[in-house]
Amino acid sequence: TIFDSSKTGGTGILRFTGVKAMDIDFINCTFDNIANKYGVMQLASTGTVNIDGCTFSNINCTASNGAGGISASDGGSINIRNTVFDNVRYTAASGQVGAVVFMNKASIVLTMENTTIKNCLYPGNSIVRSTGTTTIKKSKFLNNTVTKSSAGYVGDSLFYIGASGQMTMEQSIIVNNSVAKNVVYLGSSAQATMNYNNIQNNSFDASYESGFKTNSGTLNVEKNYWGSNELPKGVTATTWAVEDDGVYTLNTGEELEKEIPELTEDSEEPIVLPEGTIYVSETGNDENDGSSESNAVATIKQAIEIAKARENKQSTIYLLNGDYTTDAIDIGDNEALSIDLIGQEKDKVAIH
């Protein structure tokens, strides 16, 4: 277990470089409350790296173009299995982040199986970024947010596949994610095949319609379940899964060759809010300190005033379900102020 660790330099907490062909195994390890440009692991090996049964939680990427969980910059095989990434965030005042899992060379082969990435918040770029060959099976992507950074960098997608890269994903769950652009970004000549997945309740830029519209590359999204028995507007597919009393078949009436993963209670886990979150409620009172639901303030303006007064300029404001009215808010000279604004439930929080 490694916890409560931070570095201000440009290396990972665990840095493996120099010996190119080394093989590395991380088995049943826990990494918690870590802050660094490259998160936990910075890998530069042409060998095989196995990460199995590990937990990465409360990890902060602290500098632009870094990574929150794992950053790899040399060609090798990275195998991530039975592992959880929870509450991995980007906390620098400007710039953008690479990804939670950042594979930054075309020769890297990434395999993710039975892995969960949830409750992660990334201004700029993506959650999984790869320029090589990526295979994802039986994994979950839940309650993640990719948005604009404070410097205006627009978050591209949940999955970013660089030029000529390839991604295959099957029997995975993509639920309750929010992205500034689209769900999948494909660079020039990139390819992504996503089949037999359960994909629903994700939000994205309206110009990308279903979130699966790409401007380059080739995207195959056949045989997925989309949360209902209708194909969503903007999705290009001739076959999709339909459900009848818990049984999935194709819209053509044919049987599926592989099972669609079912949503379970842990597929819809609530967002894990960081310590020090400021709560806002319609029934709150601006005389409160905003430290909990029962001590919530009533206005977004007051929540921001609390954030401005803190020594730590990174704050999260959590809006409980309701309608909120606010005027333009002046943050004064607080250029370093960074605020994550999170609503309790989709379509149940409104700001006027």
Side-chain angles (χ1 to χ4, degrees):
T1 299
I2 297 178
F3 61 94
D4 297 337
S5 180
S6 65
K7 282 186 179 181
T8 57
T11 62
I13 294 296
L14 299 175
R15 183 172 183 247
F16 297 89
T17 61
V19 182
K20 291 293 186 179
M22 60 184 163
D23 295 332
I24 311 167
D25 291 340
F26 298 94
I27 310 298
N28 298 329
C29 299
T30 297
F31 307 95
D32 183 61
N33 195 25
I34 289 174
N36 182 47
K37 176 175 180 176
Y38 289 110
V40 177
M41 297 179 187
Q42 184 183 10
L43 306 171
S45 170
T46 56
T48 299
V49 178
N50 294 309
I51 301 165
D52 197 340
C54 295
T55 299
F56 298 73
S57 58
N58 306 311
I59 313 296
N60 291 327
C61 174
T62 57
S64 184
N65 296 315
I70 300 170
S71 175
S73 58
D74 212 335
S77 297
I78 313 292
N79 303 312
I80 306 173
R81 294 184 172 91
N82 310 309
T83 289
V84 175
F85 297 85
D86 188 3
N87 193 31
V88 180
R89 297 185 170 228
Y90 177 68
T91 58
S94 63
Q96 64 173 332
V97 77
V100 175
V101 176
F102 187 11
M103 304 289 106
N104 197 23
K105 197 163 188 177
S107 54
I108 296 174
V109 177
L110 170 65
T111 300
M112 299 177 65
E113 188 169 358
N114 194 31
T115 289
T116 298
I117 299 182
K118 62 181 181 179
N119 306 323
C120 297
L121 178 62
Y122 265 45
N125 217 279
S126 55
I127 297 297
V128 175
R129 180 175 177 177
S130 175
T131 57
T133 301
T134 300
T135 301
I136 301 174
K137 295 181 179 180
K138 298 181 179 179
S139 294
K140 299 176 183 178
F141 301 87
L142 314 170
N143 304 319
N144 299 295
T145 300
V146 180
T147 185
K148 287 185 179 180
S149 71
S150 57
Y153 293 98
V154 177
D156 282 297
S157 55
L158 206 63
F159 308 101
Y160 182 110
I161 309 303
S164 300
Q166 296 184 2
M167 180 180 77
T168 301
M169 176 186 291
E170 62 180 32
Q171 293 183 289
S172 294
I173 294 174
I174 306 172
V175 172
N176 294 338
N177 301 285
S178 176
V179 292
K181 283 188 177 179
N182 54 349
V183 177
V184 181
Y185 171 88
L186 297 178
S188 175
S189 300
Q191 299 179 23
T193 300
M194 306 174 69
N195 304 144
Y196 305 105
N197 302 294
N198 195 327
I199 306 170
Q200 54 182 291
N201 200 32
N202 301 289
S203 60
F204 34 80
D205 188 292
S207 64
Y208 288 88
E209 297 177 329
S210 65
F212 287 84
K213 177 183 177 182
T214 61
N215 294 326
S216 60
T218 303
L219 178 62
N220 175 335
V221 288
E222 300 288 335
K223 303 177 182 178
N224 295 301
Y225 180 66
W226 300 92
S228 74
N229 288 344
E230 301 295 328
L231 189 69
K233 180 181 177 181
V235 173
T236 301
T238 57
T239 56
W240 60 93
V242 297
E243 184 267 338
D244 183 16
D245 198 24
V247 177
Y248 294 94
T249 58
L250 286 175
N251 61 302
T252 59
E254 299 172 275
E255 292 187 0
L256 289 162
E257 295 179 7
K258 297 183 180 181
E259 292 183 356
I260 299 292
E262 287 278 8
L263 294 187
T264 58
E265 288 187 8
D266 68 330
S267 301
E268 300 173 327
E269 295 179 61
I271 294 173
V272 177
L273 297 171
E275 184 178 354
T277 293
I278 304 166
Y279 292 81
V280 183
S281 171
E282 281 185 315
T283 59
N285 187 322
D286 278 351
E287 296 297 319
N288 293 336
D289 62 7
S291 61
S292 65
E293 290 191 24
S294 58
N295 288 308
V297 297
T299 64
I300 297 172
K301 181 178 180 180
Q302 180 58 22
I304 291 177
E305 290 299 320
I306 293 172
K308 287 165 59 178
R310 290 178 170 176
E311 184 176 346
N312 181 359
K313 296 305 180 183
Q314 173 74 31
S315 293
T316 296
I317 295 175
Y318 186 58
L319 303 179
L320 297 167
N321 292 341
D323 291 334
Y324 299 93
T325 301
T326 188
D327 298 323
I329 297 171
D330 182 10
I331 65 170
D333 296 328
N334 288 271
E335 293 183 3
L337 189 66
S338 178
I339 295 175
D340 302 329
L341 196 65
I342 299 175
Q344 183 178 7
E345 291 183 81
K346 184 179 178 181
D347 298 329
K348 293 187 179 180
V349 176
I351 302 174
H352 308 285

